[in-house]
Each structure stands twice: as C-alpha cells, then as structure tokens.
Amino acid sequence: MSAPDYETSNYEYVNARVRSRRASLFDDDDYRKLVRMGPGEIARFMEESEYEEEMNRLGSRHSGVDLVEYALNQNLANHFEDLLRWCEGRLYDYVARYLRKFDAWNVKTVLRGIYSEAGAGDIEDDLIRAGEFSEELLEALVAAESIDDVVAELDGTMFGDPLAAALDDYEETGLLVPLENAVDRTFYETLIEGLPANPNRPTELYIEFLRAEIDFRNLRNALRLARTDTDMDPAEYFIDGGRLFDPVEIRQLVDDEALLVERIRESTYGDDLSEALRVLDDAESLIEFEHALDSALLEYADTLSNRYPLSVCPVLSFVLAKEREVDNVRAIARGREAGLSPDQIEEELVTI
C-alpha cells in the first residue's frame, strides 16, 4: 500500500463506519445467553450473527470450539483490514501503528508455543493475522524449531534487536519473561516514537490514549511484581512513554502495595480506576483486577471518543471493544467445553 498523505485524514468518514460496526458487537444480554449454551449452540448463535460469513466458510473444515475460534480470529482480522482500507493520511499511520499489537501477540504466541512444546498446528491456530507481518514471515515463525530460530527470523523487524538482547536473560533464567517483556516494551515504545513534538489536537488525543494504555500496562506489571516473591528489577518491566510512573518510582512502589494503590488513587486516572481499585481490595487474585483494568481502559477510550468524535479515539475504542468481544466469546466457548458453570465463566468476561 502506498505511503499515506499526511495532509488529509478522513476522520468523519471512518468514524461513521466505525459507529456502524460498533453497533453490531455483542452486548451483555448476548453474553448472558452464550454462557448458558453448549459449544454447538454457541456455534449456531454465531451463524446467525455478524460472524455468519466466517462460520459458513470455515464450517466444512472445523467444528465446535475450533470453528468458533477460527471464525473469531478471521472476523477480527477482516474488521481491522477494513479499518486500514478506509483510513487516509495520518489517520492511516495512527491505526497501522496501533494494529502492530497483533504482530506482538503473534510473536509471543510463537515463543510460548515453542517453550511449551506445542505443535505447529496449535501455534498457528492462535495467530491473529491483523498486524503488518507478511504471511511468509508468519509461516516461517510457525515452522521455527527453537527460540533462537524465532529470534533469527525476526531479524530486521522492530522486534529483532530487542529479542536478541534479551536472549542471554532467557537462557540464564529459563523463563520467557525477558523475551515477552522485550516484545511488549518494543511495541509500546515504538508507538510513541516519531510522533510530532508539537501535535495538533487529533494527534494530541492519540498520544493521550497511548500514554494511558502504557500507564495501565505499567500498573498491571507493578502489581504483579508487588504480589510475587521475586528479586526481578521492576525497572526491567518499565515501559517508557506513560505519565504515571518513572523507573525509580516504580522500584519504590512495588515494595509497598498500599503506597502504590494510594499513588493511583491520587493520579489523573483516579476516577477512571476507582472501580478497578475496589475490585483489587476485594479480590483474592489479580485476575479480577486485571479484568477491571481492561474495562477501565475501554471506558477511558469511550470517554475520549464521546468527547472528541472527530479524532482517532473512536477507532481505537472500537479496536479495544472488538478485541474484548473476541476474548469474551473465546472464554465462553472454552469454558463451556471445559464444563465450567455460567457463573464461573462470567467471572472471566470483560464488560463495561
């Protein structure tokens, strides 16, 4: 695709298309129905939804939960390909940058698959073809036989050098954490790089949203470390670009969870994260809090979208909402297949 013309950005047209797509997403009533269905019923429900095309096309080769997962991933990729096709000018660049999160997802999926000795077919099933990686590169990653092979295949991409630098820590610890952290940091820090120093209002809003997502990611990592008996340096997990923490502060706060929570309450996100912090107080594990954090980020994006409709914010809000839908339906299908109760499955869903 040719380079975007930065002088024009068709916010009004794209956001009108996005509003239409957003209206077709599953709502809470749909989730309440789905959690009480068996895998076959879930598949039939999806055949009567906006997933009809993918379900019908893939139905001859797959069935049950496998069919649902393939249809979810394909539908997600189709939506985001449409987004890029609609966008012009700097808006195209903003969206393309953000959708590289699926390149990061795919790298981590391959690394985890090789680490756990999963088969190539199982790894490929979990890939989401919605980023910038070519089909040839994805095939090469799936065919890789070792972590070293994956890093070699990624040479020349934005993840290549950071992963190569993290290999020693991986080999020393035997844990994937250094490699996964390198992928996350590269994605988020690259998002911020190269944006205008004196942005116009749409770009300023884009940066505001990205900084919030980085802050929420740093918060998630800080709380995980605060509740983990580890001597890992919190600064090694720190992602530059946010507003809430700096590397020195994060070291201090990880050692005192109460102080960390108070720092969040007093921050610019205090109101946005009030419900997540209430969940944290009551929850026995971080999982519920992390779901609440995901909900808070989606709600924050929606707030920006409503406040500034002619910006990239409605597009990013749709991307997050579509991701949540796919994650929720996948969790429901897997949960029902595993025999979990509706109440147990509902605890795994992210809604707002």
Side-chain angles (χ1 to χ4, degrees):
M1 190 171 292
S2 60
D5 175 5
Y6 290 125
E7 297 305 315
T8 60
S9 289
N10 54 338
Y11 291 108
E12 189 169 3
Y13 170 76
V14 174
N15 289 338
R17 300 296 298 265
V18 163
R19 281 195 299 273
S20 175
R21 294 287 177 96
R22 184 76 184 259
S24 70
L25 296 181
F26 290 159
D27 58 24
D28 289 350
D29 286 339
D30 291 320
Y31 292 135
R32 278 191 286 270
K33 295 174 185 175
L34 284 166
V35 297
R36 286 161 177 80
M37 296 179 181
E41 293 173 300
I42 292 172
R44 286 191 292 275
F45 183 90
M46 291 181 66
E47 287 171 358
E48 298 174 0
S49 72
E50 68 120 6
Y51 291 90
E52 177 184 9
E53 179 184 342
E54 291 83 8
M55 294 292 288
N56 290 336
R57 187 172 66 252
L58 296 167
S60 62
R61 288 177 286 156
H62 308 285
S63 61
V65 175
D66 288 341
L67 172 58
V68 170
E69 293 211 34
Y70 275 111
L72 289 170
N73 289 348
Q74 184 61 64
N75 181 270
L76 186 79
N78 290 342
H79 274 287
F80 296 159
E81 285 174 7
D82 286 345
L83 278 181
L84 289 175
R85 183 165 50 82
W86 297 334
C87 293
E88 297 175 359
R90 191 169 289 280
L91 179 59
Y92 176 95
D93 180 54
Y94 294 157
V95 176
R97 279 173 178 256
Y98 193 68
L99 293 182
R100 289 175 192 150
K101 65 162 53 181
F102 296 104
D103 293 330
W105 164 276
N106 289 334
V107 171
K108 291 190 290 184
T109 295
V110 173
L111 291 172
R112 290 166 183 167
I114 292 174
Y115 185 78
S116 64
E117 300 182 349
D122 291 332
I123 295 173
E124 186 168 11
D125 289 349
D126 285 335
L127 297 183
I128 298 176
R129 290 165 165 80
E132 291 186 331
F133 282 180
S134 67
E135 192 62 31
E136 291 74 19
L137 177 54
L138 291 174
E139 289 175 359
L141 292 174
V142 169
E145 297 182 355
S146 68
I147 298 293
D148 285 344
D149 288 345
V150 173
V151 176
E153 290 292 347
L154 290 167
D155 185 37
T157 72
M158 69 179 188
F159 301 106
D161 289 343
L163 281 172
L167 269 177
D168 286 345
D169 287 340
Y170 161 71
E171 291 168 356
E172 181 179 337
T173 63
L175 300 173
L176 278 182
V177 172
L179 297 176
E180 292 183 323
N181 188 48
V183 172
D184 286 337
R185 291 178 70 173
T186 300
F187 165 67
Y188 282 109
E189 291 174 6
T190 303
L191 268 177
I192 297 293
E193 287 178 1
L195 293 174
N198 298 302
N200 57 22
R201 188 54 175 157
T203 303
E204 193 176 74
L205 290 167
Y206 181 62
I207 294 171
E208 181 178 345
F209 173 83
L210 298 184
R211 292 195 189 286
E213 185 160 349
I214 290 171
D215 281 332
F216 284 22
R217 175 66 61 171
N218 281 330
L219 170 57
R220 183 191 306 262
N221 289 341
L223 280 163
R224 282 178 179 174
L225 289 174
R227 294 195 174 187
T228 303
D229 184 19
T230 178
D231 58 359
M232 292 183 179
D233 183 357
E236 292 296 318
Y237 291 81
F238 183 77
I239 300 170
D240 284 323
R243 298 179 296 179
L244 194 54
F245 305 112
D246 62 45
V248 173
E249 186 179 25
I250 208 80
R251 283 195 182 99
Q252 299 168 342
L253 294 174
V254 162
D255 292 331
D256 189 337
E257 183 175 330
L259 187 60
L260 173 59
V261 170
E262 187 59 30
R263 171 74 175 82
I264 299 163
R265 284 202 173 97
E266 294 176 352
S267 76
T268 185
Y269 305 114
D271 291 340
D272 300 296
L273 293 176
S274 59
E275 174 62 18
L277 293 175
R278 185 196 64 75
V279 170
L280 180 65
D281 287 339
D282 298 337
E284 296 181 1
S285 72
L286 277 179
I287 295 176
E288 293 174 64
F289 169 75
E290 291 182 359
H291 289 331
L293 200 60
D294 289 336
S295 295
L297 181 61
L298 181 52
E299 201 163 356
Y300 185 78
D302 285 343
T303 298
L304 291 179
S305 301
N306 294 331
R307 195 178 300 159
Y308 308 105
L310 289 183
S311 72
V312 71
C313 296
V315 180
L316 300 182
S317 178
F318 170 71
V319 171
L320 287 178
K322 186 63 184 178
E323 283 185 84
R324 294 291 80 74
E325 176 181 88
V326 168
D327 289 345
N328 284 340
V329 176
R330 181 183 289 116
I332 291 169
R334 287 178 173 173
R336 295 305 289 165
E337 184 182 48
L340 299 182
S341 70
D343 288 343
Q344 289 173 307
I345 295 173
E346 285 177 350
E347 290 177 0
E348 298 298 317
L349 305 185
V350 175
T351 58
I352 60 171

